[in-house]
Amino acid sequence: MTRETKFGKICKERMLDEVARRFKGHPNFFITSYMGLSAYELDILRRGLKKTSSTYFVVKNSCLRIVFDKLKLGEAAPQVEGGVGISLSGQDIISSCKALVNFTKEHGKFKVKCGVFDGKIMPYERIRELASIPSKEILLARVVGGIKSPITGFVNVLAGTLRKFIHVVDAIKKSRKTSLS
């Protein structure tokens, strides 16, 4: 084995280890097709994903297939065709879905092929549905509003009863004043 061949083999092994390490820290990821996008457009995508604690990188298809085999993600291997990029999701998968779907709308050449969530493949249609879910803050506000609404109604009912009681007492007071005079 020549020195260059040995060096190339070592580089490939390290690259495979690095890609596998990235996947182990992020079990939820998206497989995308970036063909036709400029480096500037990919940088815009990376900045948008960074806001959601997600990352994006491009990897050779042969390396990705080997890593998928190592990590027992063989079901995702058929999606690895053409220019493939991987977006590793942060804690909030919904935010990552929104960022990718919005980027897809703005840049027609960019395609989300599928997502892999905890080892299960999700088609793009499902990712688009997840992206339409309101943000965590909005959902929490709706829950609080739903909890607050019956309580507010109950307080208003009690206040109405109290107001009626005060009106009755006031009417009795006025009638006694008029009868005494």
Side-chain angles (χ1 to χ4, degrees), residues 139-150 152:
L139 290 175
L140 287 173
R142 288 181 183 173
V143 168
V144 169
I147 292 170
K148 180 185 159 215
S149 180
T152 304

Side-chain angles (χ1 to χ4, degrees), residues 101-128:
V101 169
N102 288 339
F103 190 81
T104 301
K105 290 176 185 174
E106 296 168 8
H107 301 85
K109 295 178 182 177
F110 182 78
K111 303 275 187 258
V112 178
K113 293 183 172 191
C114 69
V116 178
F117 306 136
D118 296 324
K120 295 184 178 114
I121 294 182
M122 297 287 170
Y124 176 69
E125 293 77 28
R126 181 75 174 125
I127 294 168
R128 200 172 58 226

Side-chain angles (χ1 to χ4, degrees), residues 18-127:
E18 172 64 22
V19 172
R21 186 187 59 76
R22 285 184 177 191
F23 278 105
K24 286 181 182 175
H26 300 277
N28 304 317
F29 61 92
F30 303 90
I31 301 173
T32 67
S33 173
Y34 68 91
M35 293 306 285
L37 292 178
S38 67
Y40 176 73
E41 290 170 317
L42 285 176
D43 192 47
I44 292 171
L45 172 63
R46 286 185 179 102
R47 278 187 263 144
L49 287 170
K50 189 175 185 178
K51 294 175 187 173
T52 67
S53 301
S54 301
T55 59
Y56 187 83
F57 63 95
V58 174
V59 64
K60 287 179 66 173
N61 294 355
S62 59
C63 292
L64 193 56
R65 285 189 189 103
I66 293 169
V67 170
F68 281 172
D69 286 341
K70 275 186 182 179
L71 299 176
K72 296 179 177 52
L73 294 170
E75 294 175 21
Q79 299 295 327
V80 181
E81 289 182 12
V84 174
I86 300 294
S87 175
L88 300 174
S89 179
Q91 294 293 333
D92 188 2
I93 297 171
I94 303 298
S95 295
S96 300
C97 290
K98 285 180 191 243
L100 288 169
V101 169
N102 288 339
F103 190 81
T104 301
K105 290 176 185 174
E106 296 168 8
H107 301 85
K109 295 178 182 177
F110 182 78
K111 303 275 187 258
V112 178
K113 293 183 172 191
C114 69
V116 178
F117 306 136
D118 296 324
K120 295 184 178 114
I121 294 182
M122 297 287 170
Y124 176 69
E125 293 77 28
R126 181 75 174 125
I127 294 168

Side-chain angles (χ1 to χ4, degrees), residues 162-175:
L162 187 59
R163 271 190 300 265
K164 287 178 185 175
F165 178 72
I166 290 171
H167 288 299
V168 169
V169 170
D170 193 41
I172 293 171
K173 180 180 163 187
K174 285 180 184 176
S175 70

Side-chain angles (χ1 to χ4, degrees), residues 128-146:
R128 200 172 58 226
E129 287 174 16
L130 289 173
S132 67
I133 294 174
S135 69
K136 183 178 177 181
E137 292 79 20
I138 291 173
L139 290 175
L140 287 173
R142 288 181 183 173
V143 168
V144 169

